[in-house]
């Protein structure tokens, strides 16, 4: 048979159940690819021995006709999820040598269902970034290149390792997290499917915290079906996370292919930006036509608060980060500075050495906007504007079932191209960040290519906890677009 | 609003990050740039709007007041200090705080 690492997750799952291949064969095939793909720098840690042990255990179960929904399927795990006994870095120097004594709920759920751990995937440091250029472990390189040009491009961020690994078929699927677009933006730049579920759908326990009121975990996958299978396994109530909602998880795979007839699709005029590449405008128009063809009614909507979403995000997220990252002080885990004179200089030097520039910048902004005298002017005002954004979406979703927008304002850009100007970099998340502020589910689906052959995605946003409708829409876009190209394997 | 070098020094101290003198000026410039961009929020009328705390409408779930099993339970001092740079008898060791 063909290389098991060429199958989608769902195909591999089915092939394993039918005993057409074994988990060990699939695991070895992926490990061989990971070895060859070193130039992509997608993995921080590979766990080959652990993977083979887990694969053998899965094969024993599969031989007996037993096993969970993901039995024997090899996955990559964003290195923001704590994994028991496996180095967990958040791509930061400050977590040097940290090997958790516990397992995050999401990864526990995946192992419960039989998945195999191939290793830990690279990301922006503490998930702060949109290009994967802030990792202590170096940049991840996008497997995609412009036609006839070998400039290194970004795979997006912060889940750049996840998106690159899935695009290059180094794992069947990957876990990821999204605080302002960190699942959907990299998925869009790498021709993969990225799903950010409703805030509260997936437990955040054991995931290194960035901005607690915005962070949500989800999958990056090869296609919509794979994303549905992954989300079902990752999601669910968790008594260890009080923000995780206690409601049953639907079978997302079961809704794929259901009719969209009569559904109302909102198209917000404020997402039409000045200077946006014409190709993205065209793709969006194409997406609208696909939805019409599927029997949907297109409804023009207005979300005037959209322009304030990024500024709100860049107050709320750093504020929460400055608080969450206070725990990295060289006392409980990770790096401790060698040179200090007293406890205060131990904290200060440890944090100066351990954090990268982007993380420090955000901690300083967060500390500033929360400080006495500025709290009301910045933080409180931002939380009020956030409420207005939320209300606007609630109102929009009383008229429409889904909202369709582009995923990103451009295709993948070159590494280094935007890293000098933080505000320019932040604008990458302009279409995705509202979903986090309002807690909505959102997804990016591959929908086409620009004139240089680079992938472009379309985004769907849905009502809170209505991922099923979102998956129906995603599947329709996927079927209509047929954007299933794979990158040339220049690294192999 | 622009912030100056002294403000950065003060904020860095509050955040417990040692920033060398030569970084203060560039940081003041970068942070001012971001804050200037954030200033556009002043255009929004937020009169009477309640500040948002959560996107999901739920009350905080309560647990039984009993010691849990597993990683959230007690009685695991070895696990708690396992990753610390310096420990002694299940305590975290830091430089002397009181002379």
């Amino acid at each position: 048979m063909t290389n098991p690492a060429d199958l989608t997750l769902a195909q591999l799952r089915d092939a394993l159940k039918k005993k057409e291949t074994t988990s060990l064969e699939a695991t070895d095939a992926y490990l061989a690819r990971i070895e060859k793909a070193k130039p992509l720098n997608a993995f921080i840690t590979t766990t080959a021995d652990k993977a083979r042990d887990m694969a053998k255990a899965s094969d024993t179960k599969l031989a007996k006709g037993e096993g969970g929904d993901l039995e024997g399927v090899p996955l990559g795990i964003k290195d923001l999820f704590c994994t028991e006994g496996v180095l967990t870095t958040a791509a930061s120097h400050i977590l040097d040598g940290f090997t958790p004594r516990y397992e995050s709920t999401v990864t526990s759920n995946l192992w419960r269902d039989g998945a195999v751990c191939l290793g830990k995937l690279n990301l922006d440091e503490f998930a702060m970034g949109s290009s994967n250029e802030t990792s202590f472990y170096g940049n991840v390189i996008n497997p995609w290149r412009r036609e006839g040009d070998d400039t290194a491009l970004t795979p997006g961020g912060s889940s750049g390792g996840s998106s690159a690994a899935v695009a290059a078929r180094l794992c069947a699927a990957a876990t990821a997290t999204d605080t302002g677009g960190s699942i959907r933006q990299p998925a869009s730049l790498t021709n993969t499917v990225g799903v950010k579920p409703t805030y509260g759908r997936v437990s955040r326990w054991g995931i290194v915290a960035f901005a607690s009121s915005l962070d949500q975990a989800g999958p990056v996958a090869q296609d919509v079906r794979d994303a549905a299978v992954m989300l079902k396994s990752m999601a669910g109530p968790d008594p260890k996370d009080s923000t995780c909602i206690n409601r049953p998880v639907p079978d997302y795979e079961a809704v794929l292919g259901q009719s969209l007839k009569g559904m109302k699709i909102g198209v917000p005029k404020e997402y039409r930006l000045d200077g946006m590449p014409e190709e993205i405008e065209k793709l969006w128009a194409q997406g609208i036509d696909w939805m019409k063809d599927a029997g949907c009614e297109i409804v023009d909507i207005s979300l005037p608060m959209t322009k304030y979403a990024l500024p709100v995000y860049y107050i709320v997220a750093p504020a929460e980060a400055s608080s969450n990252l206070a725990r990295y002080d060289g006392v409980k885990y990770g790096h401790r500075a060698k040179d200090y004179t007293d406890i205060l200089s131990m904290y200060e030097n440890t944090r100066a050495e351990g954090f990268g520039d982007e993380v420090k910048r955000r901690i300083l902004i967060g500390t500033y906007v929360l400080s006495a005298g500025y709290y009301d002017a910045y933080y409180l005002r931002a939380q009020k504007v956030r409420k207005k954004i939320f209300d606007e979406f609630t109102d929009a979703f009383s008229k429409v079932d889904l909202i369709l927008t582009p995923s990103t304002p451009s295709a993948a850009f070159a590494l280094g191209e935007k890293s000098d100007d933080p505000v320019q970099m932040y604008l990458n998340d302009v279409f995705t960040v509202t979903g986090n502020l309002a807690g909505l589910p959102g997804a990016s689906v591959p929908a086409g290519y620009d004139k240089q052959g680079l992938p472009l995605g379309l985004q769907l946003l849905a009502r809170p906890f209505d991922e099923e409708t979102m998956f129906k829409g995603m599947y329709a876009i996927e079927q209509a677009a047929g954007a299933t190209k794979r990158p040339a394997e220049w690294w192999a | 609003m622009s912030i100056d070098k002294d403000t950065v020094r003060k904020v860095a101290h509050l955040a417990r990050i040692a920033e060398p003198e030569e970084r203060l000026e560039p940081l003041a410039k970068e942070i001012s740039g971001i804050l200037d961009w954030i200033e556009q929020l002043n255009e929004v009328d937020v009169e009477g709007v309640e500040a948002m705390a959560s996107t999901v409408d739920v009350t905080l779930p309560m647990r039984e007041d009993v010691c849990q099993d597993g990683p959230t339970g007690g009685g695991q001092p070895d696990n708690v200090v396992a990753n610390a740079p310096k420990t002694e008898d299940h305590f975290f060791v830091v430089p002397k705080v009181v002379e």
Side-chain angles (χ1 to χ4, degrees), chain A residues 225-444:
Chain A
R225 182 175 302 275
D226 289 5
V229 176
M230 280 289 284
L231 182 60
K232 182 167 178 254
S233 180
M234 292 168 75
D238 180 10
K240 296 202 281 290
D241 176 2
S242 63
T243 65
C244 187
I245 305 302
N246 186 8
R247 54 195 289 169
V249 181
D251 183 351
Y252 303 114
E253 199 181 358
V255 305
L256 305 182
Q258 286 181 7
S259 169
L260 270 61
K261 223 172 167 64
M263 210 181 264
K264 292 195 171 92
I265 309 294
V267 176
K269 64 172 185 209
E270 288 80 7
Y271 283 58
R272 198 155 279 123
L273 300 181
D274 291 343
M276 191 160 79
E278 199 189 317
E279 290 158 307
I280 289 182
E281 286 264 11
K282 265 170 67 184
L283 185 81
W284 193 14
Q286 176 72 72
I288 292 167
D289 284 344
W290 289 332
M291 295 315 245
K292 275 187 204 157
D293 293 346
C296 299
E297 184 192 332
I298 306 299
V299 182
D300 288 320
I301 57 170
S302 177
L303 298 166
M305 283 289 133
T306 300
K307 67 177 281 209
Y308 302 110
L310 270 175
V312 167
Y313 176 83
Y314 278 96
I315 292 174
V316 174
E320 294 182 10
S322 70
S323 167
N324 274 323
L325 271 58
R327 67 184 62 141
Y328 304 103
D329 55 7
V331 175
K332 299 177 289 298
Y333 32 68
H335 175 76
R336 178 186 287 194
K338 297 270 177 298
D339 297 319
Y340 50 83
T341 48
D342 54 12
I343 193 159
L344 198 58
S345 70
M346 187 195 86
Y347 294 150
E348 290 186 339
N349 294 350
T350 294
R351 288 163 63 80
E353 289 172 16
F355 293 134
D357 288 344
E358 181 62 25
V359 173
K360 286 185 207 172
R361 182 156 51 220
R362 294 202 198 185
I363 292 175
L364 294 180
I365 291 170
T367 306
Y368 181 74
V369 299
L370 289 178
S371 63
Y374 299 102
Y375 179 86
D376 286 2
Y378 287 106
Y379 186 70
L380 203 61
R381 173 169 280 268
Q383 291 287 52
K384 289 179 180 178
V385 180
R386 184 176 179 184
K387 178 73 165 69
K388 291 189 84 155
I389 293 170
F390 179 84
D391 290 345
E392 214 169 74
F393 272 108
T394 307
D395 184 48
F397 278 118
S398 68
K399 301 179 194 107
V400 301
D401 300 295
L402 290 171
I403 293 174
L404 177 72
T405 78
S407 300
T408 53
S410 72
F413 49 93
L415 288 158
E417 200 175 288
K418 298 187 182 181
S419 37
D420 292 343
D421 183 349
V423 173
Q424 274 309 307
M425 185 66 92
Y426 298 167
L427 289 173
N428 270 294
D429 295 334
V430 65
F431 298 136
T432 49
V433 72
T434 51
N436 301 81
L437 292 174
L440 306 170
S444 176

Side-chain angles (χ1 to χ4, degrees), chain A residues 37-73:
Chain A
K38 287 258 159 73
L40 300 178
N41 200 28
F43 280 83
I44 291 174
T45 306
T46 45
T47 52
D49 293 344
K50 184 184 172 78
R52 291 196 179 99
D53 288 347
M54 291 173 93
K56 284 177 203 161
S58 284
D59 282 334
T60 309
K61 281 192 180 167
L62 287 160
K64 288 191 240 166
E66 296 169 0
D69 290 349
L70 290 168
E71 198 63 53
V73 173

Side-chain angles (χ1 to χ4, degrees), chain A residues 9 43 74-78 81 106 110 119 121 159 161-167 171-177 183 193-195 218-222 226-227 230 234:
Chain A
L9 182 152
F43 280 83
L75 301 178
I77 303 299
K78 186 178 185 177
F81 293 78
V106 164
L110 294 168
L121 294 162
S159 308
S162 306
S163 68
V166 173
C171 50
T175 65
T177 62
I183 291 177
V193 175
V195 177
V220 171
Q222 297 174 50
D226 289 5
M230 280 289 284
M234 292 168 75

